[in-house]
Amino acid sequence: MERVYNFSPGPSMLALPVLEQAQKDLVCYGDTGMSVMEMSHRSKMYTDIYDQTVADLRELMAIPDSYEVLFLQGGATQQFSAVPLNLMVNGKADYVDSGNFAHLAAEEAKRYGTVNVAASSREDNYTYVPDLTKAAFSPDADYVHITTNNTLYGTRYVDLPDTPAPLVADASSNILSEVYDINRFGVLYAGAQKNIGPSGLCVLIVRKDLLGKAKDICPKLLNWEVQAKAGSMYNTPNTYGIYLAGLTFKWVKDMGGVAAMEKINIEKAALLYDYLDESKLFKPTAVKEYRSRMNVTFVTGDADKDAAFVKAAAKAGLVNLKGHRTVGGMRASIYNAMPVEGVQKLVDFMKQFEADNA
């Protein structure tokens, strides 16, 4: 069967060269005589893969030696607990509630201390990122938590905030899609299943001076200092997920790096949003100023017509366009691995659907 254009919000499509290399290596990696899935995580053959993966991510994101790079299990959601367990020294943190996952992170942190919601767009169905120049940051907060891209509602931070406490960011749905100065963050973490690799893996980048502050109740596997000292291998890590992440990092480097990916992503998003702004049938749902480049949300205003569009698109090889149940309509997730051609095919199909349903 011919491959489709997969607009899933995650797990999402992987770059074809990554899949092809994984297929080539599946039974026997290089001259090792075994699959990566069969390797001991303590063996030199695997630690070479791991070390190169870390080195490539450091190069791509210009991560200095003052930061640790960890590859952890449990995805980003597990870090909703790990963040306060590692950082809530004084028992208080600021959270910006700009979307579903930002809200869930704040709710989880309340289990471990006092959470101040410094700003929120929840009452407006998360159609924008709240203005943080008016945010009520706490002078005694241990950290400020944001979610850089709103996967469900299709919004993004256009500018990072200046915060009085270390900035902690969940960048699951836009990591490696735009250039960030990592020095702006105390901690940046991301689930892998959107721009990095398969689900079940989480990349965490933490400034070294923030280690060693974990609460006594923090489980060892969630303790970043323990994981850093063990090189992400306190227990057996997600070895194959890390290997696939490494292939993705090599692919991004081959594409020209993060800056090159950002230019392509701007082009893809503009292609789709320009059509949506002109369309008489489809309407974007996010406030224009805060539109995500990764997750484009739109509706027709008619639930039956939305459903008909999603069904017809799937038959045309454009799959997983149904919007999240809290938003409805459609959502096109156009992460790094989605080529410009896939977005163009979607736009062409939408134009035809609109003409047929005028």
mmCIF file of all heavy atoms in Angstrom, residues 70-86 95 105 108-109 112 143 145 168-170 187-191 202-204 221-224 227:
data_model
loop_
_atom_site.group_PDB
_atom_site.id
_atom_site.type_symbol
_atom_site.label_atom_id
_atom_site.label_comp_id
_atom_site.label_asym_id
_atom_site.label_seq_id
_atom_site.Cartn_x
_atom_site.Cartn_y
_atom_site.Cartn_z
ATOM 1 N N LEU A 70 19.086 14.592 29.021
ATOM 2 C CA LEU A 70 18.606 13.301 29.495
ATOM 3 C C LEU A 70 17.571 12.727 28.533
ATOM 4 O O LEU A 70 16.778 13.468 27.944
ATOM 5 C CB LEU A 70 17.975 13.448 30.883
ATOM 6 C CG LEU A 70 18.848 14.082 31.976
ATOM 7 C CD1 LEU A 70 18.058 14.214 33.273
ATOM 8 C CD2 LEU A 70 20.113 13.264 32.201
ATOM 9 N N PHE A 71 17.569 11.410 28.390
ATOM 10 C CA PHE A 71 16.553 10.704 27.622
ATOM 11 C C PHE A 71 15.806 9.798 28.595
ATOM 12 O O PHE A 71 16.344 8.788 29.054
ATOM 13 C CB PHE A 71 17.181 9.895 26.491
ATOM 14 C CG PHE A 71 17.711 10.747 25.377
ATOM 15 C CD1 PHE A 71 19.029 11.194 25.381
ATOM 16 C CD2 PHE A 71 16.886 11.131 24.329
ATOM 17 C CE1 PHE A 71 19.516 11.993 24.363
ATOM 18 C CE2 PHE A 71 17.366 11.930 23.297
ATOM 19 C CZ PHE A 71 18.677 12.359 23.319
ATOM 20 N N LEU A 72 14.575 10.188 28.917
ATOM 21 C CA LEU A 72 13.820 9.554 29.985
ATOM 22 C C LEU A 72 12.590 8.833 29.438
ATOM 23 O O LEU A 72 12.173 9.057 28.301
ATOM 24 C CB LEU A 72 13.399 10.614 31.009
ATOM 25 C CG LEU A 72 14.542 11.487 31.560
ATOM 26 C CD1 LEU A 72 13.989 12.579 32.444
ATOM 27 C CD2 LEU A 72 15.550 10.619 32.317
ATOM 28 N N GLN A 73 12.008 7.992 30.280
ATOM 29 C CA GLN A 73 10.805 7.261 29.888
ATOM 30 C C GLN A 73 9.563 7.968 30.413
ATOM 31 O O GLN A 73 9.638 8.897 31.200
ATOM 32 C CB GLN A 73 10.883 5.831 30.407
ATOM 33 C CG GLN A 73 12.098 5.080 29.860
ATOM 34 C CD GLN A 73 12.135 3.629 30.281
ATOM 35 O OE1 GLN A 73 11.198 2.880 30.052
ATOM 36 N NE2 GLN A 73 13.244 3.216 30.889
ATOM 37 N N GLY A 74 8.405 7.546 29.907
ATOM 38 C CA GLY A 74 7.145 8.083 30.416
ATOM 39 C C GLY A 74 6.603 9.264 29.645
ATOM 40 O O GLY A 74 5.534 9.779 29.975
ATOM 41 N N GLY A 75 7.294 9.709 28.609
ATOM 42 C CA GLY A 75 6.809 10.846 27.843
ATOM 43 C C GLY A 75 6.810 12.131 28.652
ATOM 44 O O GLY A 75 7.264 12.176 29.803
ATOM 45 N N ALA A 76 6.273 13.196 28.056
ATOM 46 C CA ALA A 76 6.256 14.496 28.730
ATOM 47 C C ALA A 76 5.336 14.498 29.948
ATOM 48 O O ALA A 76 5.608 15.177 30.942
ATOM 49 C CB ALA A 76 5.833 15.589 27.753
ATOM 50 N N THR A 77 4.256 13.732 29.899
ATOM 51 C CA THR A 77 3.280 13.762 30.984
ATOM 52 C C THR A 77 3.896 13.338 32.313
ATOM 53 O O THR A 77 3.536 13.849 33.369
ATOM 54 C CB THR A 77 2.079 12.866 30.641
ATOM 55 O OG1 THR A 77 1.491 13.331 29.422
ATOM 56 C CG2 THR A 77 1.027 12.914 31.734
ATOM 57 N N GLN A 78 4.838 12.410 32.288
ATOM 58 C CA GLN A 78 5.489 12.021 33.530
ATOM 59 C C GLN A 78 6.285 13.174 34.138
ATOM 60 O O GLN A 78 6.432 13.272 35.361
ATOM 61 C CB GLN A 78 6.415 10.821 33.310
ATOM 62 C CG GLN A 78 7.031 10.279 34.579
ATOM 63 C CD GLN A 78 7.448 8.836 34.452
ATOM 64 O OE1 GLN A 78 6.664 7.916 34.654
ATOM 65 N NE2 GLN A 78 8.711 8.623 34.090
ATOM 66 N N GLN A 79 6.747 14.082 33.287
ATOM 67 C CA GLN A 79 7.481 15.246 33.785
ATOM 68 C C GLN A 79 6.567 16.271 34.459
ATOM 69 O O GLN A 79 7.049 17.153 35.175
ATOM 70 C CB GLN A 79 8.267 15.891 32.650
ATOM 71 C CG GLN A 79 9.358 15.000 32.074
ATOM 72 C CD GLN A 79 10.302 14.456 33.127
ATOM 73 O OE1 GLN A 79 10.805 15.203 33.968
ATOM 74 N NE2 GLN A 79 10.539 13.136 33.101
ATOM 75 N N PHE A 80 5.253 16.156 34.242
ATOM 76 C CA PHE A 80 4.331 17.032 34.975
ATOM 77 C C PHE A 80 4.498 16.812 36.481
ATOM 78 O O PHE A 80 4.321 17.745 37.271
ATOM 79 C CB PHE A 80 2.877 16.740 34.584
ATOM 80 C CG PHE A 80 2.518 17.074 33.159
ATOM 81 C CD1 PHE A 80 1.285 16.706 32.641
ATOM 82 C CD2 PHE A 80 3.396 17.751 32.339
ATOM 83 C CE1 PHE A 80 0.931 17.011 31.337
ATOM 84 C CE2 PHE A 80 3.068 18.063 31.018
ATOM 85 C CZ PHE A 80 1.823 17.685 30.523
ATOM 86 N N SER A 81 4.842 15.578 36.863
ATOM 87 C CA SER A 81 5.122 15.275 38.268
ATOM 88 C C SER A 81 6.585 15.540 38.612
ATOM 89 O O SER A 81 6.897 16.073 39.685
ATOM 90 C CB SER A 81 4.810 13.803 38.570
ATOM 91 O OG SER A 81 3.482 13.481 38.276
ATOM 92 N N ALA A 82 7.480 15.180 37.687
ATOM 93 C CA ALA A 82 8.911 15.305 37.976
ATOM 94 C C ALA A 82 9.341 16.755 38.163
ATOM 95 O O ALA A 82 10.227 17.038 38.968
ATOM 96 C CB ALA A 82 9.724 14.661 36.852
ATOM 97 N N VAL A 83 8.735 17.677 37.428
ATOM 98 C CA VAL A 83 9.131 19.088 37.529
ATOM 99 C C VAL A 83 8.962 19.606 38.955
ATOM 100 O O VAL A 83 9.932 20.100 39.564
ATOM 101 C CB VAL A 83 8.373 19.960 36.505
ATOM 102 C CG1 VAL A 83 8.548 21.449 36.826
ATOM 103 C CG2 VAL A 83 8.857 19.672 35.093
ATOM 104 N N PRO A 84 7.771 19.533 39.551
ATOM 105 C CA PRO A 84 7.671 20.019 40.942
ATOM 106 C C PRO A 84 8.467 19.169 41.936
ATOM 107 O O PRO A 84 8.993 19.706 42.919
ATOM 108 C CB PRO A 84 6.154 19.938 41.232
ATOM 109 C CG PRO A 84 5.614 18.978 40.237
ATOM 110 C CD PRO A 84 6.458 19.146 39.012
ATOM 111 N N LEU A 85 8.584 17.879 41.695
ATOM 112 C CA LEU A 85 9.347 17.029 42.607
ATOM 113 C C LEU A 85 10.830 17.389 42.614
ATOM 114 O O LEU A 85 11.510 17.226 43.621
ATOM 115 C CB LEU A 85 9.170 15.560 42.218
ATOM 116 C CG LEU A 85 7.843 14.919 42.630
ATOM 117 C CD1 LEU A 85 7.670 13.574 41.942
ATOM 118 C CD2 LEU A 85 7.749 14.763 44.146
ATOM 119 N N ASN A 86 11.331 17.916 41.501
ATOM 120 C CA ASN A 86 12.741 18.293 41.406
ATOM 121 C C ASN A 86 13.009 19.759 41.717
ATOM 122 O O ASN A 86 14.126 20.092 42.112
ATOM 123 C CB ASN A 86 13.266 17.990 39.999
ATOM 124 C CG ASN A 86 13.624 16.537 39.809
ATOM 125 O OD1 ASN A 86 14.720 16.104 40.123
ATOM 126 N ND2 ASN A 86 12.662 15.764 39.300
ATOM 127 N N TYR A 95 2.465 28.922 36.971
ATOM 128 C CA TYR A 95 2.121 28.214 35.738
ATOM 129 C C TYR A 95 1.284 29.132 34.846
ATOM 130 O O TYR A 95 0.427 29.874 35.334
ATOM 131 C CB TYR A 95 1.322 26.940 36.039
ATOM 132 C CG TYR A 95 2.190 25.763 36.424
ATOM 133 C CD1 TYR A 95 2.840 25.729 37.654
ATOM 134 C CD2 TYR A 95 2.364 24.685 35.564
ATOM 135 C CE1 TYR A 95 3.639 24.647 38.022
ATOM 136 C CE2 TYR A 95 3.165 23.598 35.920
ATOM 137 C CZ TYR A 95 3.791 23.589 37.149
ATOM 138 O OH TYR A 95 4.588 22.525 37.499
ATOM 139 N N ALA A 105 -0.526 20.061 33.502
ATOM 140 C CA ALA A 105 0.748 20.198 34.221
ATOM 141 C C ALA A 105 0.546 20.961 35.530
ATOM 142 O O ALA A 105 1.098 20.591 36.577
ATOM 143 C CB ALA A 105 1.773 20.902 33.340
ATOM 144 N N GLU A 108 -1.326 18.813 38.133
ATOM 145 C CA GLU A 108 -0.460 17.801 38.737
ATOM 146 C C GLU A 108 0.479 18.432 39.763
ATOM 147 O O GLU A 108 0.735 17.855 40.830
ATOM 148 C CB GLU A 108 0.341 17.083 37.657
ATOM 149 C CG GLU A 108 1.251 15.975 38.164
ATOM 150 C CD GLU A 108 0.515 14.808 38.800
ATOM 151 O OE1 GLU A 108 -0.719 14.684 38.597
ATOM 152 O OE2 GLU A 108 1.167 14.007 39.499
ATOM 153 N N ALA A 109 0.991 19.615 39.457
ATOM 154 C CA ALA A 109 1.927 20.284 40.365
ATOM 155 C C ALA A 109 1.266 20.643 41.692
ATOM 156 O O ALA A 109 1.953 20.731 42.730
ATOM 157 C CB ALA A 109 2.491 21.538 39.701
ATOM 158 N N TYR A 112 2.002 18.780 44.924
ATOM 159 C CA TYR A 112 3.303 18.870 45.598
ATOM 160 C C TYR A 112 3.595 20.252 46.187
ATOM 161 O O TYR A 112 4.636 20.428 46.829
ATOM 162 C CB TYR A 112 4.402 18.495 44.609
ATOM 163 C CG TYR A 112 4.164 17.146 43.975
ATOM 164 C CD1 TYR A 112 3.733 17.041 42.661
ATOM 165 C CD2 TYR A 112 4.344 15.970 44.700
ATOM 166 C CE1 TYR A 112 3.492 15.796 42.074
ATOM 167 C CE2 TYR A 112 4.110 14.728 44.137
ATOM 168 C CZ TYR A 112 3.684 14.645 42.821
ATOM 169 O OH TYR A 112 3.435 13.420 42.253
ATOM 170 N N TYR A 143 9.929 28.340 40.146
ATOM 171 C CA TYR A 143 10.068 28.303 38.688
ATOM 172 C C TYR A 143 8.770 28.787 38.041
ATOM 173 O O TYR A 143 7.733 28.916 38.707
ATOM 174 C CB TYR A 143 10.393 26.884 38.192
ATOM 175 C CG TYR A 143 9.342 25.843 38.506
ATOM 176 C CD1 TYR A 143 8.287 25.576 37.629
ATOM 177 C CD2 TYR A 143 9.396 25.105 39.694
ATOM 178 C CE1 TYR A 143 7.329 24.621 37.921
ATOM 179 C CE2 TYR A 143 8.439 24.153 39.993
ATOM 180 C CZ TYR A 143 7.401 23.913 39.108
ATOM 181 O OH TYR A 143 6.444 22.982 39.400
ATOM 182 N N HIS A 145 6.378 27.807 34.702
ATOM 183 C CA HIS A 145 6.162 26.743 33.721
ATOM 184 C C HIS A 145 5.274 27.238 32.568
ATOM 185 O O HIS A 145 4.213 27.813 32.798
ATOM 186 C CB HIS A 145 5.506 25.534 34.388
ATOM 187 C CG HIS A 145 5.340 24.355 33.482
ATOM 188 N ND1 HIS A 145 4.341 24.283 32.524
ATOM 189 C CD2 HIS A 145 6.031 23.188 33.374
ATOM 190 C CE1 HIS A 145 4.437 23.134 31.863
ATOM 191 N NE2 HIS A 145 5.447 22.454 32.363
ATOM 192 N N VAL A 168 10.671 26.991 32.907
ATOM 193 C CA VAL A 168 10.537 25.569 32.588
ATOM 194 C C VAL A 168 9.524 25.449 31.459
ATOM 195 O O VAL A 168 8.423 25.998 31.552
ATOM 196 C CB VAL A 168 10.066 24.759 33.814
ATOM 197 C CG1 VAL A 168 9.872 23.291 33.444
ATOM 198 C CG2 VAL A 168 11.054 24.905 34.956
ATOM 199 N N ALA A 169 9.883 24.737 30.391
ATOM 200 C CA ALA A 169 8.999 24.675 29.230
ATOM 201 C C ALA A 169 8.772 23.259 28.746
ATOM 202 O O ALA A 169 9.721 22.484 28.590
ATOM 203 C CB ALA A 169 9.577 25.514 28.087
ATOM 204 N N ASP A 170 7.510 22.939 28.518
ATOM 205 C CA ASP A 170 7.127 21.733 27.799
ATOM 206 C C ASP A 170 7.083 22.121 26.321
ATOM 207 O O ASP A 170 6.206 22.866 25.886
ATOM 208 C CB ASP A 170 5.762 21.258 28.291
ATOM 209 C CG ASP A 170 5.221 20.069 27.506
ATOM 210 O OD1 ASP A 170 5.892 19.613 26.558
ATOM 211 O OD2 ASP A 170 4.107 19.605 27.830
ATOM 212 N N VAL A 187 14.823 24.631 32.391
ATOM 213 C CA VAL A 187 14.519 23.264 31.965
ATOM 214 C C VAL A 187 13.664 23.332 30.709
ATOM 215 O O VAL A 187 12.736 24.149 30.612
ATOM 216 C CB VAL A 187 13.744 22.481 33.054
ATOM 217 C CG1 VAL A 187 13.419 21.062 32.577
ATOM 218 C CG2 VAL A 187 14.508 22.448 34.367
ATOM 219 N N LEU A 188 13.987 22.481 29.750
ATOM 220 C CA LEU A 188 13.129 22.294 28.584
ATOM 221 C C LEU A 188 12.955 20.800 28.384
ATOM 222 O O LEU A 188 13.933 20.053 28.389
ATOM 223 C CB LEU A 188 13.738 22.940 27.334
ATOM 224 C CG LEU A 188 12.882 22.896 26.057
ATOM 225 C CD1 LEU A 188 13.067 24.173 25.234
ATOM 226 C CD2 LEU A 188 13.223 21.672 25.196
ATOM 227 N N TYR A 189 11.707 20.381 28.248
ATOM 228 C CA TYR A 189 11.459 18.952 28.044
ATOM 229 C C TYR A 189 10.446 18.751 26.922
ATOM 230 O O TYR A 189 9.688 19.662 26.580
ATOM 231 C CB TYR A 189 10.991 18.275 29.341
ATOM 232 C CG TYR A 189 9.644 18.722 29.883
ATOM 233 C CD1 TYR A 189 8.484 18.004 29.602
ATOM 234 C CD2 TYR A 189 9.530 19.833 30.724
ATOM 235 C CE1 TYR A 189 7.248 18.389 30.122
ATOM 236 C CE2 TYR A 189 8.316 20.223 31.249
ATOM 237 C CZ TYR A 189 7.169 19.495 30.940
ATOM 238 O OH TYR A 189 5.956 19.881 31.455
ATOM 239 N N ALA A 190 10.464 17.543 26.343
ATOM 240 C CA ALA A 190 9.585 17.280 25.204
ATOM 241 C C ALA A 190 9.345 15.797 25.027
ATOM 242 O O ALA A 190 10.295 15.010 25.003
ATOM 243 C CB ALA A 190 10.200 17.855 23.923
ATOM 244 N N GLY A 191 8.083 15.414 24.904
ATOM 245 C CA GLY A 191 7.745 14.067 24.479
ATOM 246 C C GLY A 191 8.214 13.880 23.050
ATOM 247 O O GLY A 191 8.182 14.815 22.245
ATOM 248 N N CYS A 202 11.109 10.751 26.430
ATOM 249 C CA CYS A 202 11.079 12.186 26.715
ATOM 250 C C CYS A 202 12.503 12.723 26.756
ATOM 251 O O CYS A 202 13.368 12.154 27.423
ATOM 252 C CB CYS A 202 10.402 12.455 28.064
ATOM 253 S SG CYS A 202 10.293 14.216 28.482
ATOM 254 N N VAL A 203 12.736 13.784 26.026
ATOM 255 C CA VAL A 203 14.022 14.493 26.088
ATOM 256 C C VAL A 203 13.903 15.579 27.143
ATOM 257 O O VAL A 203 12.908 16.328 27.160
ATOM 258 C CB VAL A 203 14.362 15.125 24.726
ATOM 259 C CG1 VAL A 203 15.606 15.999 24.837
ATOM 260 C CG2 VAL A 203 14.560 14.044 23.674
ATOM 261 N N LEU A 204 14.885 15.662 28.031
ATOM 262 C CA LEU A 204 14.881 16.705 29.050
ATOM 263 C C LEU A 204 16.247 17.372 29.089
ATOM 264 O O LEU A 204 17.273 16.695 29.201
ATOM 265 C CB LEU A 204 14.513 16.142 30.417
ATOM 266 C CG LEU A 204 14.350 17.215 31.516
ATOM 267 C CD1 LEU A 204 13.067 16.984 32.318
ATOM 268 C CD2 LEU A 204 15.555 17.224 32.457
ATOM 269 N N LEU A 221 13.661 7.249 39.904
ATOM 270 C CA LEU A 221 13.553 7.304 38.450
ATOM 271 C C LEU A 221 13.079 8.666 37.954
ATOM 272 O O LEU A 221 13.249 8.995 36.780
ATOM 273 C CB LEU A 221 12.616 6.208 37.929
ATOM 274 C CG LEU A 221 13.176 4.784 37.980
ATOM 275 C CD1 LEU A 221 12.142 3.795 37.450
ATOM 276 C CD2 LEU A 221 14.465 4.676 37.174
ATOM 277 N N LEU A 222 12.483 9.480 38.822
ATOM 278 C CA LEU A 222 12.056 10.828 38.453
ATOM 279 C C LEU A 222 13.066 11.889 38.890
ATOM 280 O O LEU A 222 12.894 13.064 38.573
ATOM 281 C CB LEU A 222 10.692 11.148 39.066
ATOM 282 C CG LEU A 222 9.508 10.271 38.654
ATOM 283 C CD1 LEU A 222 8.206 10.843 39.192
ATOM 284 C CD2 LEU A 222 9.437 10.105 37.147
ATOM 285 N N ASN A 223 14.090 11.475 39.600
ATOM 286 C CA ASN A 223 15.089 12.409 40.111
ATOM 287 C C ASN A 223 16.121 12.695 39.023
ATOM 288 O O ASN A 223 16.884 11.829 38.619
ATOM 289 C CB ASN A 223 15.761 11.801 41.341
ATOM 290 C CG ASN A 223 16.668 12.780 42.051
ATOM 291 O OD1 ASN A 223 17.440 13.505 41.427
ATOM 292 N ND2 ASN A 223 16.581 12.809 43.373
ATOM 293 N N TRP A 224 16.135 13.926 38.535
ATOM 294 C CA TRP A 224 17.014 14.280 37.419
ATOM 295 C C TRP A 224 18.492 14.132 37.776
ATOM 296 O O TRP A 224 19.295 13.757 36.930
ATOM 297 C CB TRP A 224 16.737 15.706 36.967
ATOM 298 C CG TRP A 224 15.340 15.940 36.500
ATOM 299 C CD1 TRP A 224 14.463 15.014 36.003
ATOM 300 C CD2 TRP A 224 14.646 17.186 36.489
ATOM 301 N NE1 TRP A 224 13.269 15.605 35.678
ATOM 302 C CE2 TRP A 224 13.354 16.943 35.973
ATOM 303 C CE3 TRP A 224 14.976 18.484 36.866
ATOM 304 C CZ2 TRP A 224 12.409 17.958 35.816
ATOM 305 C CZ3 TRP A 224 14.046 19.499 36.713
ATOM 306 C CH2 TRP A 224 12.771 19.237 36.186
ATOM 307 N N GLN A 227 19.380 10.527 37.426
ATOM 308 C CA GLN A 227 19.449 10.154 36.017
ATOM 309 C C GLN A 227 20.675 10.759 35.335
ATOM 310 O O GLN A 227 21.315 10.119 34.488
ATOM 311 C CB GLN A 227 18.170 10.589 35.292
ATOM 312 C CG GLN A 227 16.921 9.810 35.691
ATOM 313 C CD GLN A 227 16.889 8.412 35.082
ATOM 314 O OE1 GLN A 227 17.871 7.916 34.530
ATOM 315 N NE2 GLN A 227 15.735 7.750 35.185
#
